[in-house]
Every structure is written in structure tokens, then in C-alpha cells.
Amino acid sequence: MLDSLSTSVVIDTISQVAQSTSSESLFVIIMKGFSNYAIPFLLLIIPILGFAKKVKVYEAFVEGAKDGFTVAIKIIPFLVAILVAIGMFRASGAMDYFVYLLSPITNLIGMPAETLPVALMRPLSGSGTLGIVTELMNEHGPDSFIGRLSSTMFGSTETTFYVLAVYFGAVGIKKSRHAVAAGLIGDVVGLLMAVFICRIVFG
Amino acid sequence: MLNYIWLALMVIALIVGAINGRIEAVTKAAMDYAATAVDIALGLIGIMALWLGIMKIAEKGGIIKMLSRVIRPVAKFLFPNIPSDHPAIGTMLMNIIANWLGLGNAATPLGLKAMDDLQSLNKSKDTATNAMVVFLALNTASITIIPMTVIAVRAKLGSANPFEIISTAVFASTCATIAAVIAAKLLQKLPGIRKSDPNRIDTEKEEGEKNA
């Protein structure tokens, strides 16, 4: 009894939050303004603060910037390894088989079969996922349940394998230990929670 | 684990590609993506140089140390093995804020600088430390307050309210982040993973102190 009561309270608050965001364009305007000004602000405030602390700003900048080249070059082998494997996997059409295998499970949790490729692609490729999401919204409309769910899934997590390759590559880490497992657990939880929250808010 | 996933992706691609008669497409993808990887990495040079330059000023001016001090309580929980005034804390904070704001262009260079700072505390340079894995977990699940890319696509396709997915996406990515961090923290306690910890002695000493 208590459980069902508290659940309905949670659902009510969440749907109120959802309604308020659609009318609360001020929040969105502020956030967008913040994003636009954040980088120019940082580019200005850091050198000014540094100068105030008697740092030789130009010399310090050049000293730091010279590492840009080596870091980028160091990433190449890691990125080639990951992107080639993912590219081959995508081109083979193996994704269709995974969708077929997993669709009975996703049907159980009320996840439309059309959105399963989004979930499977999300940890592998950001641009690939965006392509699928765009296609789905073209076909079903951005304001359909499928459109809203696939957009939420896109925003629910990052491209795990790309982040792993670039971040570990930059410092030459080959043995990633439990990083892949932790990242993938995050992806699964994020994608399942996307289904859960979309069913409550948009269902 | 990456060894198995990497091999599995390629073996599956070749077998399924052969069955589907797409073996040529698979080969072409391998060549194309190898070139794409280099393009992406080279494209990072300028922006990396810019942010590493700015960060050097921040470091010399003591700004990063200042930031490190601000989030000491959170940092102590997430990264118990990192001294609380270490620059890695400050650069990680800047990376995470850039991610929240959706500043992808700044987030990656700042994140790589943070990895470099974390690497300075690593005793075995080719193996990830526990702190690195937690930091990666924060980044692979990454919360973005305004996911601009997908909002732009929604707006272009004529959505009545392209922004309505913000609350659901923030909710889902917050859950993802919490799950990834908890997973990283729990997995590092497994015997096999504990054995491969490059800073094993420090971790054990710290846990011994906790128990005492």
C-alpha cells in the first residue's frame, strides 16, 4: 500500500517537472546563454587571474600548448584499433542479429523494438547513433513516443568505447582493468532508465 | 576485457559479413575507419594545444589548486588515493563541468589533461589506476544538462518542443553516472582486479588504516 502510494507521488512530481520544463523556456534560455559564454569566459578569466598572480602568461601558454601535438599523436593507435573494429561490426550487418536476439527481452520492459538499435549502437558510435535517431524521428515524428525515447537514449550516456580509447590512449594505458565493465554497466542502466522515465513522462 | 570485446567485434564482423555477402563492405569499413581515426586525432591537435596552454596558465597561477580545495569532500570519497590538493582534482572538476555544459570541444582536452595528472600518480604507466577508472566512469556516462546535438535534430524535424527531452535525458544520464561509479567502486574490490592495481600497496595500507 505504502509502496504504490509513494510510487504515484513520484510519478506525479515527475510529470509536473516534465510539464514545467515545456513551459519554462527561461531556464533553457539561461542554460543556452551559459553554454555560449562559458568558453569565452574561461579563455578570458584564466589568463587574467594568472597575470594577477604574476604568471608570465604568454610563456606559460606556449609551454603548455606544445604538448598538444604529442597528445593527439599518441591517441592514434588506440583510436584506429577501436574504430576499425566498430566500423567492421557495423558494416557486417551483425547488429540486425543482436536486435533479433534481444527483442523478446526488450518487449517485456515495454521498449519499442525500433529503438533497440539505438541502445545497441550508443556505446559504440556517437555519429552512428545520431544517424539512427534521426532516421527514427523522420519516420515516426520527433514528438512520437519512439522519437522522444530515442532522443532521451541519445542523451542518456556517452560513447563508452570512444572515451576509453581517447582517454587511455592519451596517456598510453593499455591495461584498462575494470573500466570497460563499469562503463558498460553505466550504459545499460542509463538506457533502461531512459525507457523507464519516458514511459512515465511521455507514456 | 577490451581484448575479448575487440576480438569478438572483428570475428563477428567477418563471419556475419561473409554470411550476409557483405565482406567487401566490411573490408572497406576497416580501411575507411582507420583513416577516420587519424583524422579525428589530427583534428584534436589545435584544440588540445589551446586548452593545454590555458591550463598551464591556470596551473602556474594556482587556480587549479584552488579548485581542488573547493571540492575536497566529494573528491575524498571518489578518489581516496589522490592527495586533496593535487592538480588532478582541479582538472577533473573542470572536465566534468565542461561535460555538464555540453562543451564537448573543451571537455575532451580538459579530460586528457586530467588523465595526464592522474598518470603522474601511477606507478605502472601502462595500467589504469582505480582513480582513472572512476574518472572514466564519470566520463563514459557523462551528464549533459542541454544535449544540444539531438535537440538541434529535433528542432530541424519540426518538433513542437525540441527541449522536452532535457529532463528525461538528465534523469537517465544521472542514473547512468551513479551506476557506473558504483560499479567501478565495487569491481575494484574483486580479488582479480585488486591484484592488478598499480598502486596496490597504497590502497591496502589505506584500507588497513580504515579498519584499525
Side-chain angles (χ1 to χ4, degrees), chain A residues 17-18 21-22 27-28 31-32 34-35 38-39 42-43 46-47 49-50 53 55 57 60-61 63-65 67-69 71-73 75-76 79-94 96-98 124 130 133-134 137-138 142-143 147-148 151-152 154-158 160-164 166-168 170-187 189-190 193-194 196-198 201-202, chain B residues 1-2 5-6 9-10 12-14 16-17 19-20 22 25-26 29-30 33-34 36-38 40-42 44-45 48-54 56-58 60-61 63 94-95 101 103 106-108 111-112 115-116 119 122 125-130 132-133 135-137 139-142 145-150 153-154 157-161 163-169 171-173 175-176 179-180 183-184 187-188 193-194 196-198:
Chain A
V17 169
T21 44
S22 53
F27 167 77
V28 170
M31 283 311 303
K32 267 170 80 186
F34 210 61
S35 302
I39 285 180
L42 280 176
L43 291 182
I46 292 174
L49 283 176
K53 299 239 177 175
V55 175
V57 283
F61 180 91
E63 191 193 325
D67 292 334
F69 186 77
V71 172
I73 299 302
I75 297 170
I76 290 178
L79 211 50
V80 169
I82 292 284
L83 289 193
V84 165
I86 289 171
M88 287 167 65
F89 183 78
R90 282 181 60 188
S92 71
D96 301 339
Y97 293 95
F98 280 87
L124 300 176
L130 191 64
V133 171
T134 311
M137 287 201 286
N138 234 334
D143 298 330
R148 286 159 164 169
S151 311
T152 302
F154 184 82
S156 71
T157 169
E158 258 296 328
T160 299
F161 285 98
Y162 174 80
V163 173
L164 282 171
V166 172
Y167 279 47
F168 280 150
V171 290
I173 298 277
K174 280 176 264 171
K175 294 172 187 147
S176 56
R177 294 175 66 222
H178 51 309
V180 184
L184 289 179
I185 288 171
D187 292 337
V189 170
M193 284 323 229
F196 168 77
I197 194 76
C198 283
V201 176
F202 304 123
Chain B
M1 188 166 181
L2 212 43
I5 294 178
W6 190 71
L9 282 173
M10 293 210 293
I12 293 170
L14 286 171
V16 176
I19 295 170
N20 283 352
R22 290 199 198 168
V26 173
Y33 275 79
T36 307
V38 177
I40 293 176
L42 292 183
L44 273 173
I45 294 176
M48 274 306 299
L50 170 64
W51 283 105
L52 289 177
I54 292 289
K56 196 62 157 190
I57 300 176
K60 289 199 165 177
I63 300 164
M94 291 188 72
N95 159 265
L101 297 177
L103 310 174
T108 307
L112 299 189
M115 286 300 285
D116 192 45
Q119 182 73 318
N122 190 354
K125 298 296 177 196
D126 69 340
T127 310
T129 59
N130 287 344
M132 285 178 179
V133 176
F135 179 57
L136 256 288
N139 264 284
T140 52
S142 172
I145 300 170
I146 310 264
M148 258 344 273
T149 330
V150 73
V153 174
R154 292 175 58 80
L157 293 176
S159 167
N161 183 3
F163 296 101
E164 69 187 346
I165 53 98
I166 288 177
S167 53
T168 52
F171 174 81
S173 59
C175 294
L187 287 170
Q188 78 189 26
I193 288 167
R194 195 187 264 192
S196 61
D197 182 358

Side-chain angles (χ1 to χ4, degrees), chain A residues 95-119:
Chain A
M95 195 66 97
D96 301 339
Y97 293 95
F98 280 87
V99 170
Y100 177 77
L101 281 174
L102 285 173
S103 54
I105 303 168
T106 50
N107 285 340
L108 277 179
I109 58 165
M111 179 174 157
E114 291 90 334
T115 58
L116 192 51
V118 181

Side-chain angles (χ1 to χ4, degrees), chain B:
Chain B
M1 188 166 181
L2 212 43
N3 288 319
Y4 298 110
I5 294 178
W6 190 71
L7 189 65
L9 282 173
M10 293 210 293
V11 170
I12 293 170
L14 286 171
I15 294 173
V16 176
I19 295 170
N20 283 352
R22 290 199 198 168
I23 204 77
E24 275 170 44
V26 173
T27 316
K28 189 176 178 304
M31 304 303 144
D32 288 352
Y33 275 79
T36 307
V38 177
D39 285 344
I40 293 176
L42 292 183
L44 273 173
I45 294 176
I47 201 136
M48 274 306 299
L50 170 64
W51 283 105
L52 289 177
I54 292 289
M55 291 302 279
K56 196 62 157 190
I57 300 176
E59 206 179 297
K60 289 199 165 177
I63 300 164
I64 290 174
K65 272 212 167 133
M66 211 171 65
L67 282 175
S68 304
R69 248 173 265 139
V70 175
I71 52 153
R72 191 173 294 180
V74 187
K76 257 220 142 70
F77 165 73
L78 284 176
F79 308 103
N81 288 327
I82 301 177
S84 53
D85 59 344
H86 194 272
I89 304 284
T91 43
M92 286 194 285
L93 176 66
M94 291 188 72
N95 159 265
I96 286 158
I97 292 174
N99 270 326
W100 282 349
L101 297 177
L103 310 174
N105 276 341
T108 307
L110 293 173
L112 299 189
K113 175 79 177 103
M115 286 300 285
D116 192 45
D117 291 338
L118 288 174
Q119 182 73 318
S120 71
L121 295 166
N122 190 354
K123 289 186 178 131
S124 125
K125 298 296 177 196
D126 69 340
T127 310
T129 59
N130 287 344
M132 285 178 179
V133 176
V134 172
F135 179 57
L136 256 288
L138 287 172
N139 264 284
T140 52
S142 172
I143 302 167
T144 300
I145 300 170
I146 310 264
M148 258 344 273
T149 330
V150 73
I151 288 172
V153 174
R154 292 175 58 80
K156 212 168 111 191
L157 293 176
S159 167
N161 183 3
F163 296 101
E164 69 187 346
I165 53 98
I166 288 177
S167 53
T168 52
V170 168
F171 174 81
S173 59
T174 306
C175 294
T177 306
I178 294 170
V181 170
I182 292 176
K185 288 271 177 196
L186 290 179
L187 287 170
Q188 78 189 26
K189 290 191 165 52
L190 291 179
I193 288 167
R194 195 187 264 192
K195 228 165 115 188
S196 61
D197 182 358
N199 298 338
R200 193 167 58 234
I201 299 142
D202 291 355
T203 317
E204 271 165 14
K205 207 198 304 167
E206 174 218 335
E207 273 178 9
E209 276 163 14
K210 236 186 249 170
N211 293 337

